Amino acid sequence: MRNPRPHPDPRRPRRAVLSSVSSDSHTWNLVYLQLLLEEAEFEVTNLGACVPPEMLAERALDVRPDLILLSSVNGHGGLQAAAYAQLIKAQPALAGTPLVIGGKLGVAGAADRGLVPELIEAGFDGVFVGDEAVAEFREYLDRVRPHTVVAAA
Protein backbone atom coordinates (compact mmCIF):
# COMPACT_ATOMS: atom_id res chain seq x y z
CA MET A 1 0.00 0.00 0.00
CA ARG A 2 1.33 3.42 -0.95
CA ASN A 3 1.33 6.31 1.47
CA PRO A 4 -1.59 8.71 1.27
CA ARG A 5 -0.72 11.77 -0.79
CA PRO A 6 -2.26 15.22 -0.81
CA HIS A 7 -4.11 16.38 -3.90
CA PRO A 8 -6.54 19.19 -4.72
CA ASP A 9 -10.20 18.39 -4.26
CA PRO A 10 -11.68 19.20 -7.69
CA ARG A 11 -15.20 19.40 -6.25
CA ARG A 12 -14.42 22.32 -3.96
CA PRO A 13 -14.16 25.86 -5.31
CA ARG A 14 -11.32 28.04 -4.13
CA ARG A 15 -12.29 30.11 -1.10
CA ALA A 16 -11.18 33.58 -0.06
CA VAL A 17 -11.68 35.66 3.06
CA LEU A 18 -11.70 39.38 2.33
CA SER A 19 -11.36 42.18 4.84
CA SER A 20 -9.99 45.63 5.48
CA VAL A 21 -7.74 46.72 8.31
CA SER A 22 -9.42 47.91 11.49
CA SER A 23 -9.20 51.64 10.74
CA ASP A 24 -10.43 51.40 7.15
CA SER A 25 -14.15 52.10 6.85
CA HIS A 26 -14.27 52.05 3.05
CA THR A 27 -16.54 49.43 1.55
CA TRP A 28 -16.63 49.99 -2.22
CA ASN A 29 -13.11 48.63 -2.54
CA LEU A 30 -14.29 45.46 -0.79
CA VAL A 31 -17.25 45.12 -3.16
CA TYR A 32 -14.91 45.55 -6.13
CA LEU A 33 -12.46 42.97 -4.77
CA GLN A 34 -15.26 40.52 -4.04
CA LEU A 35 -16.47 40.80 -7.63
CA LEU A 36 -12.91 40.39 -8.92
CA LEU A 37 -12.46 37.26 -6.78
CA GLU A 38 -15.80 35.84 -7.85
CA GLU A 39 -14.88 36.47 -11.48
CA ALA A 40 -11.78 34.34 -10.80
CA GLU A 41 -14.14 31.63 -9.48
CA PHE A 42 -13.51 32.09 -5.76
CA GLU A 43 -16.20 31.62 -3.15
CA VAL A 44 -15.84 34.82 -1.08
CA THR A 45 -16.47 35.55 2.58
CA ASN A 46 -16.45 39.35 2.73
CA LEU A 47 -16.08 40.44 6.37
CA GLY A 48 -16.56 44.10 5.54
CA ALA A 49 -14.78 47.16 6.84
CA CYS A 50 -13.02 47.88 10.15
CA VAL A 51 -12.30 44.25 10.98
CA PRO A 52 -9.94 43.68 13.93
CA PRO A 53 -7.17 41.08 13.52
CA GLU A 54 -8.79 38.66 15.99
CA MET A 55 -12.06 38.62 14.06
CA LEU A 56 -10.24 37.97 10.79
CA ALA A 57 -8.30 35.07 12.31
CA GLU A 58 -11.44 33.59 13.87
CA ARG A 59 -13.44 33.70 10.63
CA ALA A 60 -10.51 32.37 8.62
CA LEU A 61 -10.27 29.41 10.99
CA ASP A 62 -13.99 28.75 10.41
CA VAL A 63 -13.83 29.10 6.61
CA ARG A 64 -10.38 27.57 5.99
CA PRO A 65 -9.81 29.72 2.90
CA ASP A 66 -7.30 29.23 0.13
CA LEU A 67 -6.52 32.96 0.25
CA ILE A 68 -6.82 35.75 2.81
CA LEU A 69 -6.91 39.27 1.36
CA LEU A 70 -6.62 42.55 3.25
CA SER A 71 -7.46 45.85 1.58
CA SER A 72 -6.41 49.33 2.61
CA VAL A 73 -7.74 52.54 1.11
CA ASN A 74 -7.07 55.13 3.82
CA GLY A 75 -3.30 54.66 4.02
CA HIS A 76 -3.15 52.85 7.37
CA GLY A 77 -2.56 49.37 5.97
CA GLY A 78 1.19 49.74 6.27
CA LEU A 79 0.87 50.63 9.94
CA GLN A 80 -1.66 47.98 10.94
CA ALA A 81 -1.00 45.02 8.64
CA ALA A 82 1.88 43.40 10.55
CA ALA A 83 -0.44 42.62 13.47
CA TYR A 84 -2.77 40.75 11.09
CA ALA A 85 0.06 38.76 9.54
CA GLN A 86 1.53 37.79 12.90
CA LEU A 87 -1.82 36.60 14.24
CA ILE A 88 -2.80 34.70 11.06
CA LYS A 89 0.58 33.03 10.60
CA ALA A 90 0.65 32.03 14.31
CA GLN A 91 -2.39 29.80 13.74
CA PRO A 92 -1.10 26.36 12.65
CA ALA A 93 -4.21 25.76 10.52
CA LEU A 94 -3.65 29.06 8.66
CA ALA A 95 0.14 29.31 8.59
CA GLY A 96 0.35 27.98 5.02
CA THR A 97 -2.61 29.97 3.70
CA PRO A 98 -1.56 32.72 1.29
CA LEU A 99 -2.04 36.11 2.94
CA VAL A 100 -1.95 39.20 0.74
CA ILE A 101 -2.58 42.91 1.09
CA GLY A 102 -3.10 45.69 -1.38
CA GLY A 103 -4.30 49.20 -1.93
CA LYS A 104 -3.12 52.45 -0.46
CA LEU A 105 -0.79 51.22 2.27
CA GLY A 106 0.56 54.58 3.37
CA VAL A 107 0.24 58.29 2.74
CA ALA A 108 3.57 58.85 0.96
CA GLY A 109 2.42 58.06 -2.58
CA ALA A 110 5.07 56.27 -4.64
CA ALA A 111 7.27 55.98 -1.55
CA ASP A 112 4.73 53.50 -0.15
CA ARG A 113 6.48 50.84 -2.23
CA GLY A 114 9.11 50.97 0.51
CA LEU A 115 6.59 49.20 2.76
CA VAL A 116 6.57 46.08 0.59
CA PRO A 117 9.71 44.39 2.04
CA GLU A 118 8.54 45.16 5.57
CA LEU A 119 5.16 43.56 4.93
CA ILE A 120 6.70 40.51 3.28
CA GLU A 121 8.97 40.14 6.29
CA ALA A 122 5.92 40.44 8.58
CA GLY A 123 4.39 37.39 6.89
CA PHE A 124 2.51 38.55 3.81
CA ASP A 125 2.87 36.35 0.75
CA GLY A 126 1.98 39.16 -1.64
CA VAL A 127 1.75 42.96 -1.51
CA PHE A 128 0.00 44.80 -4.33
CA VAL A 129 0.45 48.57 -4.67
CA GLY A 130 0.65 51.14 -7.42
CA ASP A 131 -0.70 51.36 -10.93
CA GLU A 132 -0.10 47.69 -11.72
CA ALA A 133 -1.61 46.32 -8.49
CA VAL A 134 -4.84 44.96 -9.99
CA ALA A 135 -3.13 43.31 -12.97
CA GLU A 136 -0.49 41.76 -10.70
CA PHE A 137 -3.17 40.57 -8.29
CA ARG A 138 -5.13 38.92 -11.11
CA GLU A 139 -1.99 37.05 -12.15
CA TYR A 140 -1.42 36.02 -8.54
CA LEU A 141 -4.95 34.60 -8.32
CA ASP A 142 -4.18 32.26 -11.20
CA ARG A 143 -1.54 30.61 -9.00
CA VAL A 144 -3.73 30.13 -5.89
CA ARG A 145 -4.75 26.51 -5.55
CA PRO A 146 -7.38 24.94 -3.30
CA HIS A 147 -6.17 23.41 -0.08
CA THR A 148 -5.28 19.80 -0.47
CA VAL A 149 -7.00 16.84 1.08
CA VAL A 150 -5.31 13.58 1.99
CA ALA A 151 -6.63 10.56 0.14
CA ALA A 152 -5.44 7.02 -0.22
CA ALA A 153 -3.55 6.37 -3.42
Side-chain angles (χ1 to χ4, degrees):
M1 179 173 160
R2 295 173 51 186
N3 288 333
R5 60 185 165 86
H7 68 279
D9 182 348
R11 298 164 297 189
R12 187 177 78 70
R14 296 179 297 174
R15 288 182 240 169
V17 171
L18 170 63
S19 174
S20 71
V21 294
S22 60
S23 70
D24 201 317
S25 62
H26 297 85
T27 56
W28 283 112
N29 59 312
L30 297 173
V31 170
Y32 171 78
L33 288 168
Q34 179 173 343
L35 292 171
L36 190 146
L37 287 162
E38 289 172 347
E39 182 180 274
E41 298 182 354
F42 278 80
E43 192 174 272
V44 180
T45 300
N46 186 340
L47 301 180
C50 300
V51 175
E54 299 79 15
M55 178 188 268
L56 176 61
E58 181 180 309
R59 288 296 292 138
L61 285 168
D62 289 343
V63 172
R64 299 293 171 102
D66 303 300
L67 175 70
I68 300 170
L69 170 60
L70 278 175
S71 176
S72 175
V73 173
N74 67 4
H76 294 154
L79 296 172
Q80 297 177 332
Y84 288 83
Q86 291 165 356
L87 187 58
I88 294 293
K89 295 299 183 170
Q91 308 298 318
L94 300 174
T97 302
L99 174 65
V100 299
I101 187 168
K104 185 177 177 189
L105 302 178
V107 293
D112 289 343
R113 287 194 180 278
L115 296 169
V116 173
E118 178 182 321
L119 292 170
I120 296 292
E121 187 174 319
F124 283 89
D125 300 290
V127 180
F128 303 94
V129 295
D131 294 339
E132 297 301 317
V134 173
E136 291 171 358
F137 181 60
R138 284 179 189 266
E139 289 176 16
Y140 183 89
L141 290 177
D142 290 339
R143 296 188 304 269
V144 174
R145 297 288 165 243
H147 281 303
T148 57
V149 295
V150 176

